[in-house]
Amino acid sequence: MINSIFNICYFIGLIVGSVIRGVYARQYKQTRIKDARKAGLDRLLRFLPFLGMFVIPLLYVLTSWLDFADYHVPTWAGWIGAVVFALALWLLLRSHVDLGRNFSPALEIMEGHSLVTHGVYHRIRHPMYAAHWLWGFAQALLLQNWVAGFAMLVSTLPLYLVRVPREEQMMLEYFGEEYRLYMSRTGRVIPRLWR
Ligand code: SAH
């Protein structure tokens, strides 16, 4: 019974996250792209989290195929998962709001692009990716199954490892010293609280 509640929490969060993303994806389509990096591998790696957050969790709740991999965590840990998921959604929303028209799902510089260093970007350079990690940890506590629970963490890792250095390189090329200084006072996904 309690596991069904956690499953429902997960899918409510998934809907909220999809709405946030959907709104900003529409805004992105109305913004002109100034410069784009090669998208081949990036596009493939972007598809993996879609499997991890959506397709595999759906298979988990709609079929019995993944039942062999079920595990159980204490109820309090499931509630921690719900709280972490709420935090992830808040961070996802805030990072989209703060990034505004500079947002792109790909490695791109938009028309009129400016470097955002305020709001949730004040102490970390990649709050949106941090939100994905929090989502992954929450998913492991809410969907108590070795395959479905860890699908987001596993599917996010390749994108993170490939994307972040390329993105920072692109930002350095475009914003130069301004981005270098920004890097020196921020953490990648863990806030830098000291200089
Ligand atoms: N890595 C960031 C943004 C993800 S969206 C995060 O995790 O929050 C990806 C796009 O955001 C990149 O193509 C880049 O053009 C843009 N971007 C990344 N950091 C930025 C910043 N600090 N200011 C403005 N644009 C940024």
Side-chain angles (χ1 to χ4, degrees), residues 95 99 102-110 113-117 121 125-130 163 167 170-171 175 179 182:
S95 47
L99 212 50
N102 302 302
F103 166 73
S104 160
L107 285 178
E108 290 167 344
I109 297 292
M110 312 306 286
H113 206 119
S114 59
L115 179 64
V116 175
T117 60
Y121 286 82
R125 297 194 289 287
H126 304 289
M128 210 175 280
Y129 303 151
R163 165 70 76 93
E167 182 172 321
M170 179 184 81
M171 298 299 282
F175 291 101
Y179 194 74
Y182 176 58

